[in-house]
Amino acid sequence: MTDFPSPSDRPKTARSAAFRLFRPVIFAVGIIGVTVGAVIVIHHRSQTQVAAVAPPAPPASPPITLSDPEPAPPITTADFKGFDLKPADQQADAEPPASDRYELTLRLERGDTVEKVLADINVPEADRKQIDSALKALLKKRRLAVGESIDLQLQTMPDQPDAPRVLALSIRPQPQREYIVTRRDDGSYEALEKIYQVRPRIVRVDATRRGSLQQSGMKAGAPTAATLEFIRALSYDVDFQRELKEGQRFTLLLEQQVTSDGLVVDPGRLLAGELKLTNRTITVMRFRPQGGAEGFYDPKGESVVRSFLRTPMDASHITSGFGMRMHPIMGFSAMHTGVDFGAPTGTPIFAAGAGKVVMAGSNGGYGIFVKLQHTSQIGTGYGHMSRLGPGIRPGVSVRQGQVIGFVGSTGLSTGPHLHYEFYRNGHPVNPLAQKFAMRAVVGGKDLARFRVLSRQYLNELKNAPPIAEASAPAKAKENAQFARDE
Ligand SMILES: [Zn+2]
């Protein structure tokens, strides 16, 4: 607010100057008072008719004479009319006059115009018209949206206390663009458009897992989209049911888009992320190979995306593993050729990988069953479904993650669960023991570029400014509001 020193400053300054100027006088008067008082006391005690003579007074003070036996009249400030002799502390406590300048933010409502808004707060018509035409010349054909805020700097004029004067008006329909109308000294209004540059800013969000990863990320200040992207990138590798524990720490590296005055235009795109599990740390980083699609890679340059999902379903838990076991219905020991995931009826089941449906429908003890062939060697099977997914029938192709059916308890089953099988060359193997090597790897021309980026991200995951610190000077908008230029 350095552009507009408070008008109340001036009288106050003048008053203190007067006080400083006459301080010696006040002191002198005080000394005289004390001396006179002492003389009177001595005089009354001695009971003698002695005319007390006041000590020599400073030139500015009026002559004081004592006429005994009447007591000396008290010396008051009334003797020094014209001087403001209020004690210093009283002066400091005196309330400064209320500022006649103030700020106001109004919103455009349906059917509003800026002129109408100004009319509503009683801005004089001549000013309104000038502001409106200055603004119109600037906006040209662009229209202001309903709900747009109008920041006003107003001044109350002594001659017309009910009709405020507009000193400045600002509208910022986009973070990069601000329209400002200001009052010139001659009372006319000028309008200018201020363009703020938008530049990227790298920030770090440090979070601790309390509850879900998503909530913990949001609580730490990460945007939802970036947190979800991080979780998806982790989901190929991390077994969320078994490996996630409370209190585990994770870090997101974000690229925000920020205007030159500190307004965040984009809250942050995920560049990299790191999750510290009990026995290992997973790091994922965004990279786009030449001519390829953007994706997430580990620091060694292997794509996080695997040919197969670890679990073909969300929010599931393993109720029965792969191998020999006592069959719950048959009552004898038998080979369990898959893994059972317990989940409520109707939970969607995803294709573990891209492939072709080779079987879809009733299949004895398996109930409603789907079998997918992914490569010439690898297939997957899904049993006990309550129903098939939309369009799932033999011969159709499916994408990884596509819903192929829903959890149920059809066939030989004691309750709703998914029986999941994994086949290599036609033989069931333990799905959880498979090491899927079929991952894209950064190579060739991309490798050198990836290594530089990978080193940079690993460093920034530790050293980039934390999001809270980076966002601290967010008051910049208010400060820049009425500045003429950058
Ligand atoms: Zn089973």
Side-chain angles (χ1 to χ4, degrees):
M1 280 296 155
T2 47
D3 290 357
F4 298 107
S6 163
S8 62
D9 283 353
R10 195 165 303 191
K12 197 176 164 192
T13 309
R15 238 187 355 250
S16 0
F19 174 72
R20 269 197 303 276
L21 186 65
F22 293 109
R23 195 152 41 190
V25 178
I26 301 165
F27 269 108
V29 168
I31 289 164
I32 294 164
V34 169
T35 314
V36 168
V39 169
I40 292 166
V41 168
I42 292 161
H43 169 73
H44 276 259
R45 278 196 185 158
S46 62
Q47 293 289 330
T48 51
Q49 300 279 323
V50 179
V53 178
S61 76
I64 297 170
T65 48
L66 290 175
S67 54
D68 200 56
E70 263 119 37
I75 296 165
T76 67
T77 53
D79 296 80
F80 304 95
K81 282 206 178 70
F83 301 158
D84 188 355
L85 291 182
K86 269 188 273 180
D89 59 331
Q90 194 181 324
Q91 180 151 5
D93 284 349
E95 220 164 277
S99 172
D100 56 355
R101 285 164 201 247
Y102 58 102
E103 286 174 29
L104 190 63
T105 298
L106 298 169
R107 268 173 213 291
L108 273 183
E109 283 165 30
R110 196 166 294 282
D112 259 351
T113 60
V114 171
E115 203 194 335
K116 188 168 173 292
V117 168
L118 296 178
D120 285 348
I121 59 163
N122 236 3
V123 172
E125 192 181 359
D127 289 0
R128 244 154 53 202
K129 289 228 151 77
Q130 279 202 72
I131 292 166
D132 197 52
S133 68
L135 197 59
K136 275 203 178 109
L138 196 64
L139 286 169
K140 299 191 180 80
K141 291 260 187 283
R142 281 176 293 241
R143 294 192 53 184
L144 296 171
V146 171
E148 198 64 76
S149 34
I150 304 167
D151 291 324
L152 294 164
Q153 178 138 114
L154 301 166
Q155 184 176 22
T156 304
M157 305 311 292
D159 53 331
Q160 42 180 23
D162 297 325
R165 169 181 284 179
V166 177
L167 299 177
L169 172 149
S170 149
I171 301 171
R172 196 162 178 180
Q174 296 149 15
Q176 319 63 328
R177 202 176 281 274
E178 183 178 15
Y179 302 109
I180 304 170
V181 180
T182 46
R183 186 184 174 94
R184 291 202 195 94
D185 291 341
D186 66 2
S188 65
Y189 285 89
E190 66 175 334
L192 62 94
E193 180 177 5
K194 196 165 168 186
I195 304 288
Y196 296 87
Q197 277 193 335
V198 174
R199 54 189 164 68
R201 175 171 73 188
I202 310 276
V203 293
R204 186 181 99 214
V205 178
D206 287 315
T208 303
R209 183 175 176 266
R210 304 251 179 268
S212 77
L213 278 181
Q214 193 191 330
Q215 285 170 339
S216 317
M218 282 164 61
K219 215 174 279 174
T224 312
T227 313
L228 286 177
E229 210 169 12
F230 178 57
I231 295 169
R232 257 201 306 280
L234 295 173
S235 67
Y236 294 95
D237 193 21
V238 178
D239 184 336
F240 289 135
Q241 302 296 327
R242 295 176 164 197
E243 289 190 277
L244 280 192
K245 304 270 187 292
E246 287 284 283
Q248 283 167 340
R249 302 192 54 82
F250 61 98
T251 302
L252 303 186
L253 190 68
L254 304 172
E255 182 185 68
Q256 297 186 319
Q257 298 296 326
V258 187
T259 63
S260 46
D261 65 332
L263 221 57
V264 176
V265 179
D266 177 348
R269 190 174 76 118
L270 182 69
L271 294 180
E274 187 183 77
L275 169 65
K276 289 196 165 73
L277 295 169
T278 312
N279 298 318
R280 60 190 183 126
T281 297
I282 316 272
T283 307
V284 298
M285 35 192 69
R286 186 188 289 274
F287 183 68
R288 184 195 287 275
Q290 247 177 5
E294 227 173 29
F296 284 90
Y297 293 79
D298 69 15
K300 282 183 280 180
E302 268 190 65
S303 168
V304 299
V305 177
R306 291 161 190 252
S307 304
F308 298 96
L309 300 180
R310 258 192 100 86
T311 349
M313 178 160 70
D314 268 347
S316 56
H317 59 280
I318 294 166
T319 51
S320 185
F322 185 89
M324 293 300 288
R325 62 157 188 187
M326 182 66 77
H327 194 282
I329 292 177
M330 309 293 218
F332 55 82
S333 191
M335 181 67 186
H336 186 227
T337 55
V339 172
D340 291 346
F341 295 104
T345 300
T347 304
I349 299 163
F350 308 130
K356 191 167 262 187
V357 178
V358 292
M359 200 185 282
S362 261
N363 183 20
Y366 285 105
I368 298 175
F369 179 79
V370 169
K371 186 175 178 185
L372 304 176
Q373 198 67 39
H374 302 286
T375 66
S376 57
Q377 282 113 42
I378 294 173
T380 50
Y382 313 78
H384 310 307
M385 290 179 174
S386 56
R387 61 193 166 98
L388 296 173
I392 298 303
R393 56 178 189 277
V396 302
S397 294
V398 291
R399 292 167 177 275
Q400 185 176 54
Q402 187 175 336
V403 174
I404 52 164
F406 300 89
V407 170
S409 192
T410 54
L412 284 179
S413 165
T414 53
H417 75 284
L418 166 69
H419 173 87
Y420 176 51
E421 295 194 345
F422 197 96
Y423 315 100
R424 264 186 201 276
N425 300 316
H427 301 290
V429 292
N430 183 356
L432 302 179
Q434 301 308 304
K435 295 251 184 275
F436 305 116
M438 291 172 280
R439 294 212 276 172
V441 175
V442 174
K445 286 180 192 162
D446 290 323
L447 198 56
R449 191 162 58 90
F450 179 81
R451 280 185 179 146
V452 171
L453 206 62
S454 169
R455 261 199 302 275
Q456 182 192 323
Y457 286 162
L458 286 173
N459 174 41
E460 285 173 336
L461 276 167
K462 289 181 178 60
N463 301 319
I467 191 162
E469 275 175 34
S471 315
K475 295 290 277 180
K477 188 196 170 185
E478 277 142 54
N479 298 338
Q481 200 73 6
F482 296 109
R484 284 303 174 95
D485 216 333
E486 304 245 59

